[in-house]
């Protein structure tokens, strides 16, 4: 009976998620709905173990604990690799900085848990000291930030694995900067190769819109360089509609939409960009009324953590989400203070 109740409980969460996801994949609430849907599966899965549920819970606890311990060291190692391969730049420090912050937060959490035990600290006055309050604030802040990032990351990955149709009329390729003024970067080639794959798998090949203008340090527009690459890979020039006026991500999409608006017929559209960038690009699409399916191209694994952190920061830099993020953090702090000074 319990198994059935847990199963129906989980189904309800997944039904709500799929309904909201079907309406709009770019809504931020979907991140939390997916996380809740995944959490709702835990009681059902554990109930399947029957009398061995205690052992299963213990195994999960050990696995999660080990994973949490490894994460900061992985991020720090990844940050060092990022600096070696991509050069010294502020954005390349993100993985390293996050790893260090999580390590400090975990250390503070372990310290507080140990000190909270009366076996170690019979003197309860310690819990009113500045050290305990400061350590608690660091711990709560890191845990809250890490969980928020985890929720965001899981949804971004979810967008990559869900099934999608292959029948498109147009494929927009999101541009990226050129190297040495006129050469495609690996990041941009990967996007182009993904778009070519989509083109060739489509039973009725779509028209391709490479999008990107000419930067200050570029000798040709990105769209023109992308067009020449596509032609070199066997894509007919008649199937290529370059958009070469845009300078930003939002302009890439807005100006590509202007091209689509001037065309007749069905307009099932795919947007190809790097996998870490799909979610934010879809949010921009919603703002300008461009209905499309996001498709992500792969990036080097070492590059992905820092890129994901940048996306997370960019999303939460938006006024509404910055306010919600700060409000959630303040609620956590308020709850902590109530516990400390109750």
């Amino acid at each position: 009976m319990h198994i059935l109740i847990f199963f129906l409980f989980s189904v309800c969460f997944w039904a709500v998620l799929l309904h909201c996801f079907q309406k709009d994949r770019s809504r931020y609430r979907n991140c939390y709905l997916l996380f809740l849907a995944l959490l709702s599966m835990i009681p059902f899965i554990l109930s399947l173990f029957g009398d061995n549920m205690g052992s299963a819970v213990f195994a999960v606890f050990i696995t999660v604990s080990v994973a949490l311990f490894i994460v900061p060291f992985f991020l720090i190692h990844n940050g060092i690799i990022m600096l070696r391969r991509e050069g010294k730049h502020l954005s390349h420090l993100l993985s390293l900085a996050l790893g260090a912050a999580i390590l400090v937060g975990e250390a503070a959490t372990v310290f507080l848990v140990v000190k909270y035990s009366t076996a170690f600290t019979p003197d309860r006055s310690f819990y009113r000291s500045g050290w305990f309050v400061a350590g608690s604030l660091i711990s709560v802040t890191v845990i809250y930030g890490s969980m928020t990032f985890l929720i965001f990351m899981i949804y971004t990955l979810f967008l990559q694995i869900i099934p999608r149709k292959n029948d498109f009329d147009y494929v927009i390729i999101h541009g990226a900067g050129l190297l040495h003024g006129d050469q495609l970067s690996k990041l941009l080639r990967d996007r182009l190769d993904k778009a070519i794959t989509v083109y060739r798998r489509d039973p009725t090949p779509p028209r391709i819109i490479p999008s990107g203008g000419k930067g200050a340090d570029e000798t040709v527009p990105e769209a023109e360089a992308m067009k020449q690459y596509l032609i070199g890979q066997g894509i007919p020039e008649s199937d290529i509609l370059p958009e070469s006026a845009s300078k930003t991500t939002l302009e890439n999409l807005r100006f590509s939409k202007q091209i689509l608006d001037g065309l007749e017929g069905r307009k099932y559209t795919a947007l190809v960009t790097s996998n870490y960038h799909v979610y934010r690009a879809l949010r921009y699409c919603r703002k300008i009324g461009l209905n499309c399916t996001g498709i992500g191209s792969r990036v080097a694994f070492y590059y992905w953590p820092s890129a994901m952190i940048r996306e997370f920061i960019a999303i939460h830099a938006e006024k509404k989400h910055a306010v919600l993020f700060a409000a959630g953090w303040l609620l956590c702090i308020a709850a902590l203070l109530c516990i400390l000074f109750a």
Side-chain angles (χ1 to χ4, degrees):
M1 185 61 181
H2 287 164
I3 294 179
L4 178 59
I5 293 174
F6 290 144
F7 175 75
L8 294 176
F9 179 72
S10 181
V11 167
C12 290
F13 274 98
W14 280 101
V16 173
L17 167 66
L18 294 177
H19 172 72
C20 294
F21 185 80
Q22 185 66 26
K23 290 182 63 176
D24 191 345
R25 300 182 180 188
S26 67
R27 289 289 185 180
Y28 189 71
R29 65 189 176 203
N30 291 347
C31 300
Y32 285 87
L33 288 174
L34 174 61
F35 188 69
L36 291 173
L38 291 172
L39 286 181
S40 71
M41 296 175 62
I42 294 177
F44 169 68
I45 294 174
L46 291 177
S47 66
L48 297 177
F49 287 89
D51 295 337
N52 295 320
M53 183 183 296
S55 299
V57 172
F58 179 74
V60 170
F61 174 77
I62 294 298
T63 302
V64 172
S65 299
V66 172
L68 291 175
F69 177 77
I70 293 174
V71 165
F73 294 99
F74 164 76
L75 289 173
I76 291 172
H77 176 69
N78 176 258
I80 294 172
I81 293 176
M82 188 73 176
L83 289 173
R84 288 177 177 174
R85 297 189 180 183
E86 299 293 328
K88 296 179 180 179
H89 189 276
L90 185 61
S91 63
H92 300 159
L93 292 171
L94 293 174
S95 179
L96 181 63
L98 180 61
I102 293 176
L103 186 60
V104 171
E106 289 185 355
T109 302
V110 171
F111 171 75
L112 294 174
V113 169
V114 171
K115 296 294 284 185
Y116 199 78
S117 170
T118 55
F120 288 88
T121 308
D123 183 7
R124 311 298 291 183
S125 64
F126 173 76
Y127 308 126
R128 302 295 188 269
S129 69
W131 283 107
F132 186 80
V133 173
S136 298
L137 290 175
I138 293 173
S139 178
V140 169
T141 300
V142 171
I143 291 173
Y144 173 71
S146 299
M147 287 301 299
T148 306
F149 177 72
L150 176 65
I151 291 168
F152 172 80
M153 183 183 69
I154 290 174
Y155 185 70
T156 301
L157 292 172
F158 180 71
L159 284 174
Q160 305 304 313
I161 63 175
I162 55 173
R164 62 173 183 269
K165 61 185 179 182
N166 291 317
D167 183 17
F168 296 105
D169 301 306
Y170 298 94
V171 177
I172 299 171
I173 308 175
H174 189 270
L178 300 176
L179 300 176
H180 311 297
D182 62 351
Q183 298 178 21
L184 301 177
S185 64
K186 185 179 186 308
L187 190 75
L188 187 51
R189 285 200 310 273
D190 288 339
R191 294 179 183 181
L192 288 162
D193 290 340
K194 187 67 174 182
I196 292 171
T197 299
V198 173
Y199 177 91
R200 290 174 175 165
R201 287 180 178 175
D202 199 312
T204 55
R207 303 180 77 180
I208 300 177
I209 304 177
S211 177
K214 180 181 175 182
D217 59 345
E218 295 172 343
T219 58
V220 297
E222 294 168 18
E224 182 60 32
M226 294 159 73
K227 175 183 176 181
Q228 295 306 317
Y229 181 85
L230 291 169
I231 292 174
Q233 297 299 312
I235 305 299
E237 186 173 1
S238 59
D239 285 344
I240 305 173
L241 303 172
E243 181 287 298
S244 56
S246 58
K247 303 293 185 183
T248 66
T249 296
L250 188 58
E251 287 184 354
N252 281 151
L253 301 172
R254 179 176 287 134
F255 295 163
S256 296
K257 183 177 182 298
Q258 290 177 0
I259 293 177
L260 292 174
D261 290 342
L263 300 172
E264 300 293 333
R266 197 183 70 162
K267 299 175 185 177
Y268 290 165
T269 305
L271 168 65
V272 175
T273 186
S274 300
N275 53 19
Y276 63 83
H277 190 246
V278 169
Y279 176 65
R280 184 153 63 101
L282 288 177
R283 291 180 61 81
Y284 287 141
C285 289
R286 176 167 57 86
K287 289 181 179 180
I288 64 174
L290 175 59
N291 185 23
C292 64
T293 298
I295 299 176
S297 63
R298 291 185 178 181
V299 297
F301 180 72
Y302 77 87
Y303 189 86
W304 191 79
S306 290
M308 278 301 306
I309 297 170
R310 284 204 310 273
E311 294 298 301
F312 177 79
I313 293 173
I315 292 295
H316 289 83
E318 298 176 12
K319 183 177 180 180
K320 181 176 70 173
H321 294 109
V323 171
L324 291 174
F325 182 83
W329 176 76
L330 289 174
L331 285 174
C332 290
I333 296 299
L336 170 67
L337 294 176
C338 288
I339 294 172
L340 292 179
F341 299 101

